[in-house]
Amino acid sequence: MTAAILQFVDTPDGPFAILTDDADRVIVSGWTAEIDAVLARLRPAQRPAEIVVGETSAADAVHAYYGGDLAAIDEVAVAQRGTTMQLAGWRALREIAPGAPLTYTGFATALGSPTAVRAAASVCARNAVALFVPCHRVLRADGSMGGFAWGTSVKESLLSRERAA
């Protein structure tokens, strides 16, 4: 891979980082202004050798999402590396409609393994491209937030935005 492109976008939830590969596919994204926090979402062997600050096409989708077009994130190209189950899980996360979150049990059921709740939660935890693969749309069985790599206040804000739309 040639140089990865890093862009920071201001959002109501704080700075949002987007790291793309040489094909403009998002490889990491999340609410931070820290390069180290971005890179920490990738395994060391998957980290780009060179990062340059620049423009990404995904930034337009972030602006549109925060402007009320919740579907804007759906077609953003992402590139994730993982197990067969993780890849299937990340595809399934993109199928969860805004404003209709699933529980971890419901997500496990959607993956075809209703008893694999911990595995389903692990898929969410290892998602490196937050927002574009909306792991924030999965909640605990009691409806509480559960974990979120970028903080439960961001998760709650995203869900509130999606409920209101």
Side-chain angles (χ1 to χ4, degrees):
M1 172 165 71
T2 59
I5 305 295
L6 178 64
Q7 182 175 8
F8 293 100
V9 176
D10 290 327
T11 76
D13 294 317
F16 185 78
I18 304 167
L19 184 67
T20 61
D21 65 11
D22 52 2
D24 200 33
R25 298 175 302 181
V26 178
I27 56 175
V28 178
S29 55
W31 291 264
T32 184
E34 302 295 324
I35 293 173
D36 289 344
V38 172
L39 293 177
R41 299 298 295 163
L42 294 172
R43 291 184 174 160
Q46 296 173 345
R47 293 178 186 158
E50 182 183 359
I51 298 173
V52 296
V53 175
E55 301 287 318
T56 66
S57 63
D60 291 337
V62 174
H63 290 298
Y65 173 88
Y66 277 99
D69 179 5
L70 302 180
I73 61 172
D74 295 345
E75 300 304 318
V76 171
V78 300
Q80 291 181 281
R81 294 184 192 165
T83 65
T84 301
M85 182 185 169
Q86 287 170 331
L87 293 170
W90 295 328
R91 281 190 302 274
L93 285 169
R94 294 190 100 175
E95 301 293 320
I96 302 172
L102 296 178
T103 63
Y104 288 105
T105 302
F107 182 51
T109 300
L111 294 175
S113 301
T115 59
V117 176
R118 286 182 193 237
S122 176
V123 165
C124 293
R126 287 181 170 75
N127 175 33
V129 291
L131 188 61
F132 307 111
V133 174
C135 57
H136 65 273
R137 295 180 185 156
V138 183
L139 304 169
R140 289 184 174 157
D142 65 2
S144 64
M145 292 295 113
F148 189 59
W150 306 106
T152 55
S153 63
V154 171
K155 182 174 182 173
E156 190 167 13
S157 173
L158 296 171
L159 291 169
S160 292
R161 175 178 309 284
E162 292 176 359
R163 270 193 308 273

